[in-house]
Amino acid sequence: MTEIEYFKPERGQRPGANEDPRLDWWREAKFGMFIHWGVYSIPAGVWQGEHIPGIGEWIMLRAEIPIAEYEKLAPQFNPVKYDADQIVKLAKAAGQKYIVLTSKHHDGFCMYGSKETDYNIVDGSPFGRDVLGELADACAREGIKLGLYYSQTQDWHHPDGFGNTWDFNEDEQDFGDYIDNYVKPQVREILTNYGPICIIWFDTPRIIERHQSQELLDLAHSLQPDCLVCGRLGNKLGDYATAQDNAIPPELQAEIDWETPATINDTWGFKTHDHNWKSPAQLIQNLVDIVSKGGNYLLNIGPDAEGAIPEPSIERLRAMGAWLDLNGESIYGTQPGPIQGEAAYRTTQKGDAVYLHVFDWPADGGIALPDLAASSASWLDASCDATLSLSRDGESTTILGSAEAPKEHVTVIRLQL
Ligand code: JFZ
């Protein structure tokens, strides 16, 4: 079995580890919305007239922008187009069952009213509203779970945070003090003041020690026992494994709960000039591929400096939602299917149904499968009236459909066992 290279918690490696009932909702949900949003959406990949390579939320590090300069973005941050209800309704329309918002990313700016620093959207920007608080209320209204991303080691604004080598001398920093007297109080406030939080999504565990990871895990679980901790807490601790960004394991990962965090273009934080948007077909195939191997797809949007969601993201998420409206039975609450490792199709299973997700429709309309004790085959999309038949010869099962692919995106056939 191919390892998920990063962030695979110890607990996830135990046989039968997938038994923690706290993850039941997560295994059912399969598909979530990531939101990367902060003052980095103002420069949006450009600094002093130069395009800064890499992901947009890393512009402060990539351009080694001094804190004194970067801080000037906060008084400019006034995202008047921010509409939490619109975001949550988009997630629902996309078929995303939970949302994970960056409460504090590596640049240190907090998207909620923190009592630990004024470097936050409520006290440090003309907007003056609690973005996280409004999103939490909208999620509660719409019945969508809310998770929070929190950068627990990298903090390029705090004198004792990790990663800012251009303003600070690492030898003079006290990371232990940062964890105990800044990170823990902030974790406490985000897990106390905003209602039920389904996931705390820690990230880049660069220099964190085992006991520090353990203390943060214990703190999160003490404040909200049902809050899942993602695998990037560090030191192989956490409730589930987190793959590298945009990485999909080539094989089934049967023994662990895992997810792929992913972008729709190439950046998490908004960048003006990143137009490399994945197609709806690719995004749907990624979702099917991940779920067929036992994982969740956490797909990102990056609102711009005004709080608007890029139109290409909206279009793609709506296309995914339209596909899920017709085929969601083959995704939500399923297990990996009995046939793995095929390029042209993926399988998932739920009870006595196997779902065959055809990526590459065969020219002759015939799909030869290993023998499955399937009694019938039907298009999962009930609106599809193309011909379809199933035959078995004791060694193989053959599905015969029309020569043309019945549908624009992944076609799903339901095999009744
Ligand atoms: C991290 C962040 O640095 C990034 O800004 C974004 O928030 C992303 C979701 O997470 O980026 C990573 C973290 C881990 C790997 C790669 C990028 N990894 O394990 O290869």
Side-chain angles (χ1 to χ4, degrees), residues 6-7 34 36 55 57-58 102 105-106 149 154 201 203-204 206 232 242-245 261 268:
Y6 282 84
F7 315 110
F34 219 162
H36 277 69
I55 45 187
E57 67 282 7
W58 274 65
T102 49
H105 207 270
H106 307 329
Y149 171 108
Q154 292 202 74
W201 215 92
D203 196 17
T204 62
R206 293 291 170 84
R232 291 189 183 175
T242 306
Q244 290 181 302
D245 294 5
W268 304 90

Side-chain angles (χ1 to χ4, degrees), residues 122-200:
V122 174
D123 305 303
S125 87
F127 192 56
R129 287 161 44 188
D130 194 320
V131 161
L132 168 52
E134 292 183 22
L135 187 64
D137 293 343
C139 284
R141 282 193 293 272
E142 296 292 335
I144 290 280
K145 289 183 179 292
L146 175 64
L148 297 176
Y149 171 108
Y150 182 87
S151 179
Q152 79 280 17
T153 67
Q154 292 202 74
D155 188 327
W156 307 326
H157 183 267
H158 191 288
D160 290 324
F162 177 76
N164 180 335
T165 55
W166 56 98
D167 282 308
F168 303 120
N169 176 344
E170 197 174 343
D171 297 339
E172 296 165 4
Q173 293 184 300
D174 183 343
F175 184 71
D177 184 69
Y178 172 70
I179 291 286
D180 289 341
N181 298 313
Y182 191 73
V183 171
K184 288 177 181 174
Q186 285 203 320
V187 169
R188 184 175 295 278
E189 60 186 4
I190 62 176
L191 294 185
T192 302
N193 302 333
Y194 296 97
I197 301 299
C198 65
I199 297 172
I200 185 161

Side-chain angles (χ1 to χ4, degrees), residues 88-104:
V88 175
K89 286 173 180 169
L90 173 62
K92 287 185 80 170
Q96 293 167 307
K97 303 300 184 184
Y98 56 103
I99 292 174
V100 179
L101 169 73
T102 49
S103 62
K104 181 193 68 129

Side-chain angles (χ1 to χ4, degrees), residues 261-301:
T263 54
I264 298 183
N265 50 5
D266 291 328
T267 179
W268 304 90
F270 179 72
K271 284 185 78 171
T272 310
H273 302 291
D274 181 336
H275 305 295
N276 189 27
W277 303 100
K278 299 171 184 70
S279 68
Q282 184 60 60
L283 294 167
I284 291 166
Q285 285 195 8
N286 288 350
L287 173 65
V288 170
D289 191 15
I290 289 164
V291 171
S292 77
K293 293 166 180 172
N296 279 26
Y297 196 26
L298 185 59
L299 189 59
N300 183 73
I301 62 168

Side-chain angles (χ1 to χ4, degrees), residues 23-88:
L23 282 103
D24 286 350
W25 72 265
W26 189 78
R27 296 178 190 121
E28 173 74 24
K30 301 298 181 186
F31 188 27
M33 174 186 274
F34 219 162
I35 305 175
H36 277 69
W37 194 30
V39 294
Y40 42 75
S41 60
I42 297 172
V46 180
W47 191 256
Q48 294 175 341
E50 280 192 44
H51 288 205
I52 306 300
I55 45 187
E57 67 282 7
W58 274 65
I59 191 167
M60 184 179 172
L61 179 137
R62 292 272 182 260
E64 291 201 340
I65 304 168
I67 288 175
E69 286 306 306
Y70 192 84
E71 278 181 339
K72 292 176 183 173
L73 295 170
Q76 303 170 43
F77 199 30
N78 191 22
V80 293
K81 291 182 180 176
Y82 174 60
D83 179 341
D85 285 299
Q86 179 211 20
I87 289 175
V88 175

